[in-house]
Amino acid sequence: MSASGVNVLRYSALAFGVFFGFTHQRTITATQNAAHAKKEYEHQQQLIEQARAKYAEQKNPKSLSAQKSPLDQDPMSPSFDLEAYLNAVAAKNP
């Protein structure tokens, strides 16, 4: 009689272990799938933002002639100021 009680307990523990393992694996898989989907969504958002930036750059190009600085950048000009030119370059490229 005691042996049958032990067998029932063993098989009950085995069934519980299989059930717990199955549900735990489903939880892990669902979490990984959600993380992968989130990462893929963020990557697509990044690509969209890059495309928007390139499109805006193509539609509104910044021409160099329109943004000509008031500094005289010709070193052969008599009004050329080397210190002002170097300060402007340093400020432009930190």
Side-chain angles (χ1 to χ4, degrees), residues 6-22:
V6 171
N7 283 338
V8 169
L9 186 61
R10 285 181 182 168
Y11 284 113
S12 297
L14 176 66
F16 177 74
V18 169
F19 175 74
F20 177 76
F22 177 73

Side-chain angles (χ1 to χ4, degrees), residues 3-85:
S4 65
V6 171
N7 283 338
V8 169
L9 186 61
R10 285 181 182 168
Y11 284 113
S12 297
L14 176 66
F16 177 74
V18 169
F19 175 74
F20 177 76
F22 177 73
T23 55
H24 188 63
Q25 184 63 38
R26 280 185 46 184
T27 304
I28 291 171
T29 304
T31 305
Q32 287 177 344
N33 288 342
H36 177 70
K38 182 179 178 184
K39 185 176 179 182
E40 186 176 328
Y41 178 77
E42 289 173 353
H43 178 68
Q44 287 178 351
Q45 288 290 51
Q46 181 184 13
L47 291 176
I48 290 170
E49 289 301 320
Q50 287 177 353
R52 283 183 182 164
K54 283 195 176 196
Y55 179 77
E57 184 178 308
Q58 287 177 351
K59 291 303 268 185
N60 299 324
K62 297 177 182 176
S63 64
L64 294 176
S65 62
Q67 292 185 351
K68 192 169 187 176
S69 68
L71 290 175
D72 187 11
Q73 296 181 358
D74 182 21
M76 301 309 278
S77 173
S79 63
F80 180 71
D81 185 9
L82 181 62
E83 183 180 1
Y85 175 71

